[in-house]
Amino acid sequence: MKNKPKIAVVMPCFNGEKYIGRSIESILSQTFDSLELIIINDGSTDESERTISSYLKDPRVKYHALEKNMGNYYARNYGMKLATAKYIAVMDADDIADSNRLQIAFDFLECHKRVGAVGSQGFWIDTEDKIIGNLNKPYHTRRLNMLLLKNNFTLHPSLMFRNTLLKRNNLYYNERLRYSADYDFVVRCSQYFRIENIPNRIIKYRMHSEQISSKRKQEQTAFANEVRFMQLKRFGINMSDEEINLYQQLMREDHLTVAEINVLLEFLNRIVESNKKLRLYPTSHLFNFFQLLLSKAYHKAITVIDKLSYSDR
């Protein structure tokens, strides 16, 4: 390529021989052509390299093989550091991109200069590429950074970032957070620039038994708790272990008793008061966000009480 590509697609791969060919093809067949595909083979022990090698004749493909398995987020960081394009797009080795994915995201970021990253909606697909459902994320909202207090409300493989903002703020994945580093990465990015989700369905997200979310659910929950706690600390208030645990349960939408909800009410009011001074989030939005979560928790608690009362009759 004579000209520097405008988009670098970073694709880590570990033992992805079954699906990576379709993922690569979905990028190389994009309607947007000014791209490079940076594939990081993270010490695969299957036939991934043989599959990848069949695409190396395309000058847009840049291939790097690590000597041993270093982990998904190490591989992502490795690829991001190699990227010099204006934008960096995330891609997993088992997903499929719509042919217009890069063009749509590129056009959005070119038209919305204050947005630092864009994600999308998607489809769930099975092991045979069949669409089995819609994958929805909130959009048309400037409150996404606040929603991240609860969970990662982006479809990570759909994201595209402004490379200059990542480099300027030294933003990379925290490799220690092995199963929630994408959540943490988006949270930290949101503290430097705006992230938006668009309504377009431009990624097909594959469901299969080898995914981290399928195999490491308990560890993923523990790391997500840590990400939520790191955000909580930004409010600068004193917190008891009980308050922290109840807050985590509220964010996970676990069952809470009425007594526990009352403890949380006082705790969340302190957060809102602190936010008024720090201005981390729009105060009214934060208040409404907490109020909605508390209302849902209270409704669950009352429903359980009603069921217990009925069973005693």
Side-chain angles (χ1 to χ4, degrees), residues 146-206:
M146 186 188 66
L147 297 179
L148 291 170
L149 288 168
K150 186 175 185 291
N151 211 333
N152 187 358
F153 283 94
T154 66
L155 175 54
H156 199 72
S158 75
L159 286 170
M160 183 185 289
F161 298 86
R162 294 187 190 275
N163 196 6
T164 53
L165 294 179
L166 297 181
K167 297 290 196 295
R168 181 188 307 159
N169 298 297
N170 197 33
L171 291 165
Y172 294 98
Y173 295 91
N174 183 340
E175 296 160 25
R176 182 183 64 79
L177 301 173
R178 287 180 61 87
Y179 307 119
S180 288
D182 52 351
Y183 178 20
D184 170 72
F185 181 66
V186 171
V187 166
R188 286 185 289 110
C189 286
S190 73
Q191 293 166 6
Y192 290 96
F193 50 79
R194 208 168 106 202
I195 301 173
E196 289 283 348
N197 289 328
I198 54 177
N200 311 69
R201 298 191 187 279
I202 55 178
I203 197 79
K204 295 176 180 177
Y205 186 83
R206 192 180 303 279

Side-chain angles (χ1 to χ4, degrees), residues 53 69 108 246 249 283 291:
S53 64
N69 179 240
F108 182 88
L246 291 176
Q249 291 180 60
T283 300
Q291 186 177 52

